[in-house]
Amino acid sequence: MKKLKVADGIYMLTMNVEDILFEGIWDIANGVTLNSYIVKGDKTAIIDGVVGWDGAPENLYSSMEELGVDPKSIDYLIVNHMEPDHSGWIEDFRKIKDDFTIICTDKAAQLVTSFYGEDKIRIVKEGDTLDLGQGKVLSFHPVPNVHWPDTMYTYEQSTKTLFSCDMFAAFGSMKDHYFDDEMTPEEVEFFEFEGIRYYSNVMTTFTPSLRRAIDKARTLDISIVAPGHGPVYRANPQKIIDDYHRFSLYAQGSGKNQVAILWGSMYGMTKRAVEFVERILQREGVKYTKLEMPLNSESETVAQVFQSAAVIIGTPTYEYNMFPPVAAALSEIGRKKISGKVAFRFGSFGWSGGAEKELAEITEKYKMNWEFLESVEFQGSPKDEHFNQIEARVLELIEKMKEKVVE
Ligand SMILES: Cc1cc2nc3c(=O)[nH]c(=O)nc-3n(C[C@H](O)[C@H](O)[C@H](O)COP(=O)(O)O)c2cc1C
Ligand SMILES: [Fe+2]
Ligand SMILES: [Fe+2]
């Protein structure tokens, strides 16, 4: 666990967690950090306490001691969000100290009680404050449905620090650098994509609530954004707020000037058309990523589709439906409410077809509102006429996606 000073009287404890399925689903390529913050006045508060993924709290306690904070001196546990990646240590903490107060929203209070049996809770509402002494005053600002209904921001007034929990968070382990001003251009780029991965994998379903949370952040005078996962922003805290706003647009059909090719092929018939599409995109100088199902991870697939202004789907028919791994990926994208993308589908069939029907079912079921160009289906191998049709559609897609580009 790494210990860092964020500002006078404010410390971050952070640890990298790798080789896990985040939320039991997401095979995150570059891990994630869990960040916990300590605010010291006369009284001490810990915000979003974290422990090792295995639940071992000793690491946290010894890290606190190295910062000169006696774990027994902690008066307040501030639970910005009850999800156990932030609150899972409460039960363990109770074993070493039992006179602390949990501070959280009314919705979190019900969860704290039902998950951990805690009842010493102070419920806070918008604008409530907690004076820790020595100039450290915390205020609380609920941001419901930023992931869960219980979530709130905590804001420290003297240092203008926003403890934003899942909001403004990013996946990706932190190796040497923890603050925005320490990052190399490569690290800035790395954490931008890890932010997109986080937003798209974890948060995108709640985009309307995230927009309200962005608006709320903009009403606060912020010098430091200190999230629950990923880097702390102190040189340019507006950047991550603006980035999250841009990501919220990607959730609703905008994207970077690039195409995601979501595809699968059993015997290589559809693959021939995928390779043809690649040659056109290369000729036209359009950036693209290829997501082959089922080989690509779900985390990467959702993130790449999310950040692209256009999506090309290559999928054959399988048992009167779509090739199942492509259907599964598209359904996941639909469940995440990634809407409004410009899209085009092609694929091979043997005798009846059926992929097209399931495409309509999935997009309808999840109300995706994607703007599909007319699909191109071919029996067996694609012929010249199909290649010509595919080329025309891809060129049309490249034109249409220009309206969607936000970078
Ligand atoms: C397990 C399996 C199920 C299939 N089910 C259908 C089907 O229901 N209807 C159909 O038209 N073709 C069906 N096909 C034929 C494929 O769609 C056809 O072989 C196509 O060319 C495969 O394209 P690919 O090589 O890109 O995978 C099926 C093929 C397989 C292997
Ligand atoms: Fe969460
Ligand atoms: Fe989280």
Side-chain angles (χ1 to χ4, degrees), residues 218-230:
R218 285 182 169 149
T219 66
L220 298 166
D221 182 11
I222 296 170
S223 298
I224 301 171
V225 173
H229 311 281

Side-chain angles (χ1 to χ4, degrees), residues 22 81 83 85-86 166 198 229:
F22 196 79
H81 171 35
E83 192 167 10
D85 58 331
H86 304 280
D166 279 349
Y198 189 80
H229 311 281

Side-chain angles (χ1 to χ4, degrees), residues 26-136:
W26 305 105
D27 180 10
I28 43 177
N30 303 308
V32 59
T33 64
L34 303 180
N35 303 336
S36 185
Y37 298 93
I38 291 174
V39 183
K40 265 179 89 172
D42 295 320
K43 304 235 170 207
T44 303
I46 183 162
I47 303 171
D48 297 337
V50 297
V51 291
W53 208 253
D54 58 2
E58 291 76 19
N59 212 351
L60 179 68
Y61 303 147
S62 64
S63 298
M64 284 181 197
E65 275 160 11
E66 284 170 43
L67 286 171
V69 176
D70 175 359
K72 293 202 168 64
S73 76
I74 291 180
D75 307 289
Y76 301 107
L77 264 59
I78 295 172
V79 177
N80 275 337
H81 171 35
M82 240 302 296
E83 192 167 10
D85 58 331
H86 304 280
S87 72
W89 71 306
I90 292 177
E91 269 179 324
D92 282 315
F93 190 61
R94 172 68 72 208
K95 290 177 197 152
I96 65 158
K97 178 178 164 94
D98 61 8
D99 56 337
F100 59 82
T101 304
I102 292 173
I103 297 196
C104 62
T105 63
D106 54 351
K107 292 214 174 72
Q110 294 168 18
L111 299 176
V112 168
T113 304
S114 58
F115 279 57
Y116 305 124
E118 292 293 338
D119 54 8
K120 251 183 107 188
I121 299 169
R122 179 179 148 197
I123 290 172
V124 288
K125 297 196 182 63
E126 176 63 39
D128 284 357
T129 58
L130 175 68
D131 192 341
L132 296 173
Q134 295 183 31
K136 291 281 175 293

Side-chain angles (χ1 to χ4, degrees), residues 299-311:
S299 165
E300 188 77 13
T301 300
V302 170
Q304 290 291 357
V305 167
F306 174 86
Q307 72 164 355
S308 299
V311 185

Side-chain angles (χ1 to χ4, degrees), residues 369-406:
N369 287 323
W370 286 20
E371 275 178 57
F372 274 95
L373 307 181
E374 193 184 338
S375 297
V376 176
E377 293 217 274
F378 40 89
Q379 192 164 20
S381 178
K383 319 293 180 304
D384 281 350
E385 57 173 308
H386 306 118
F387 286 128
N388 290 340
Q389 288 168 356
I390 289 170
E391 178 170 3
R393 295 293 189 284
V394 172
L395 293 176
E396 202 185 328
L397 187 88
I398 292 170
E399 273 311 301
K400 272 193 170 285
M401 72 185 267
K402 288 180 183 158
E403 298 157 25
K404 299 275 188 176
V405 173
V406 178

Side-chain angles (χ1 to χ4, degrees), residues 115-328:
F115 279 57
Y116 305 124
E118 292 293 338
D119 54 8
K120 251 183 107 188
I121 299 169
R122 179 179 148 197
I123 290 172
V124 288
K125 297 196 182 63
E126 176 63 39
D128 284 357
T129 58
L130 175 68
D131 192 341
L132 296 173
Q134 295 183 31
K136 291 281 175 293
V137 180
L138 301 176
S139 62
F140 306 102
H141 309 275
V143 280
N145 298 316
V146 166
H147 206 202
W148 286 16
D150 61 312
T151 312
M152 66 177 186
Y153 290 146
T154 296
Y155 176 79
E156 200 291 307
Q157 297 182 354
S158 68
T159 55
K160 302 180 179 170
T161 304
L162 182 73
F163 300 99
S164 59
C165 200
D166 279 349
M167 197 66 195
F168 311 124
F171 279 134
S173 293
M174 294 194 282
K175 301 295 182 208
D176 304 312
H177 298 148
Y178 301 85
F179 295 95
D180 58 348
D181 50 295
E182 300 172 334
M183 302 274 167
T184 62
E186 294 74 33
E187 287 171 322
V188 169
E189 204 178 310
F190 172 83
F191 280 109
E192 202 219 62
F193 184 66
E194 290 301 324
I196 286 171
R197 189 196 297 279
Y198 189 80
Y199 189 116
S200 62
N201 289 186
V202 176
M203 305 280 270
T204 187
T205 315
F206 312 100
T207 289
S209 303
L210 268 68
R211 287 259 175 80
R212 285 190 280 278
I214 291 167
D215 290 345
K216 190 166 274 191
R218 285 182 169 149
T219 66
L220 298 166
D221 182 11
I222 296 170
S223 298
I224 301 171
V225 173
H229 311 281
V232 170
Y233 304 85
R234 64 183 177 188
N236 186 3
Q238 281 311 311
K239 181 179 184 302
I240 188 66
I241 298 172
D242 292 344
D243 280 353
Y244 253 58
H245 180 257
R246 180 163 48 89
F247 302 163
S248 78
L249 300 177
Y250 295 171
Q252 296 175 332
S254 299
K256 294 188 176 178
N257 189 18
Q258 60 191 66
V259 174
I261 307 177
L262 176 67
W263 72 287
S265 179
M266 297 175 280
Y267 296 111
M269 299 295 128
T270 306
K271 187 179 182 183
R272 288 181 194 175
V274 169
E275 287 166 352
F276 175 73
V277 163
E278 278 191 85
R279 289 197 290 278
I280 296 170
L281 293 173
Q282 284 165 9
R283 186 189 74 201
E284 299 298 318
V286 176
K287 192 176 166 192
Y288 64 91
T289 49
K290 267 172 86 183
L291 306 157
E292 184 180 3
M293 298 297 117
L295 300 180
N296 261 83
S297 79
E298 229 168 318
S299 165
E300 188 77 13
T301 300
V302 170
Q304 290 291 357
V305 167
F306 174 86
Q307 72 164 355
S308 299
V311 185
I312 294 177
I313 300 173
T315 173
T317 287
Y318 179 106
E319 294 178 359
Y320 304 98
N321 280 296
M322 197 186 278
F323 182 49
V326 175

